[in-house]
Amino acid sequence: MAEPEIHRFSQVSSTLDVIHEFAGRGAPHGTVVVAEEQLAGRGSRGRTWHSPLGGLWYSILLRGGVADEALSLQVGLAVADAIEAMVPEASLSLKWPNDLMLGERKVGGVLCEARWQGPALAWIAVGLGLNVRNQLPDEVVPGAVALNSVLPPLHPDSLVGPITRALRAMPRDATGLSADELRRFEKRDWLRGREVIEPVEGTADGVESDGRLRVRGKDGELTCLRSGSVVIGGRT
Ligand code: BTN
């Protein structure tokens, strides 16, 4: 069977918009859209995602599988592995629920959007934004970083093949994180052991297999957070 296509654009509103259009016209699982620039890139929680030239602005279509909280963690694991296979000096961690971190700063993020036909899942569009050699807007510095400011120079195009292979190889029928994925996540878990002050107080204590974040209170009580962001020492 022919490989699903990788569609490249110089400028789009959002690669997520384009992948939803392709999906609505019947594009197969694994179809990819990459753009050099997005004019209306979106981030999680309704934020704008600045997407100038030089970054990787990428979306992939997933059909089948489950749209659960674990998905963006699985995507993060696949992407981090793919980048480190190319650039062994890169040491990436994952900050629940959807951030890729290089040291203390955010280098990328994942945004999953499901579309439904009645009660049935029609498809999932997975968006990935990675700061590679793009300029970062003043308002996101010092919390953000681009790969090329700390690592050997990379072109965003060179990441498309390895990341696509890793994402197309993700298991589609599993619910939640497998034992192997939980082990791999534990090694990359940026939040583990950090003090969480919102929405509950406690210490981040890993994730459940369904992707929920575990926060251990001072009294030892465990709270599992399903979605949203956490505040750690004044940061979200
Ligand atoms: C986050 O807030 O961390 C998620 C950011 C996701 C950004 C990517 S860039 C490619 C795709 N298209 C979008 O409009 N957003 C995602």
Side-chain angles (χ1 to χ4, degrees):
M1 213 169 66
E3 286 266 288
E5 287 196 54
I6 298 180
H7 301 273
R8 293 169 194 276
F9 296 87
S10 48
Q11 201 179 64
V12 296
S13 55
S14 155
T15 56
L16 284 166
D17 294 338
V18 182
I19 207 86
H20 284 303
E21 275 174 40
F22 278 114
R25 285 191 250 132
H29 174 85
T31 298
V32 167
V33 170
V34 189
E36 287 174 25
E37 200 179 356
Q38 297 185 124
L39 300 178
R42 49 186 181 267
S44 51
R45 294 176 287 284
R47 292 177 182 156
T48 296
W49 184 265
H50 295 279
S51 321
L53 292 173
L56 179 68
W57 321 127
Y58 175 104
S59 290
I60 186 166
L61 171 62
L62 303 184
R63 292 196 183 268
V66 185
D68 61 9
E69 276 77 23
L71 181 61
S72 56
L73 304 182
Q74 290 167 316
V75 169
L77 283 173
V79 170
D81 286 352
I83 296 171
E84 285 182 8
M86 286 182 72
V87 193
E89 300 92 328
S91 177
L92 293 162
S93 6
L94 300 175
K95 180 182 170 200
W96 183 93
N98 60 347
D99 294 350
L100 282 129
M101 306 291 290
L102 194 56
E104 291 300 295
R105 291 179 289 172
K106 174 164 171 163
V107 70
V110 176
L111 181 61
C112 301
E113 295 181 342
R115 291 288 183 268
W116 301 84
Q117 269 157 1
L121 178 68
W123 66 77
I124 305 169
V126 174
L128 167 70
L130 203 58
N131 297 316
V132 182
R133 55 180 197 172
N134 49 300
Q135 289 253 295
L136 299 171
D138 287 347
E139 65 267 26
V140 305
V141 178
V145 67
L147 282 174
N148 278 15
S149 62
V150 258
L151 294 170
L154 267 181
H155 192 283
D157 260 359
S158 65
L159 290 161
V160 173
I163 286 177
T164 299
R165 278 190 290 282
L167 293 176
R168 286 180 181 163
M170 278 193 320
R172 294 160 61 191
D173 46 1
T175 308
L177 299 162
S178 66
D180 175 59
E181 286 169 329
L182 279 170
R183 264 192 304 276
R184 286 162 52 214
F185 184 80
E186 196 174 328
K187 291 195 194 137
R188 296 196 184 274
D189 186 354
W190 188 89
L191 274 180
R192 183 174 275 268
R194 296 191 192 234
E195 192 201 353
V196 174
I197 54 176
E198 269 179 43
V200 288
E201 287 187 15
T203 305
D205 190 21
V207 294
E208 295 282 308
S209 61
D210 62 8
R212 287 177 304 158
L213 177 71
R214 296 156 52 101
V215 181
R216 178 83 59 189
K218 281 206 179 73
D219 53 4
E221 197 179 321
L222 193 63
T223 306
C224 293
L225 303 176
R226 187 165 285 289
S227 58
S229 60
V230 288
V231 179
I232 333 117
R235 291 171 56 179
T236 54

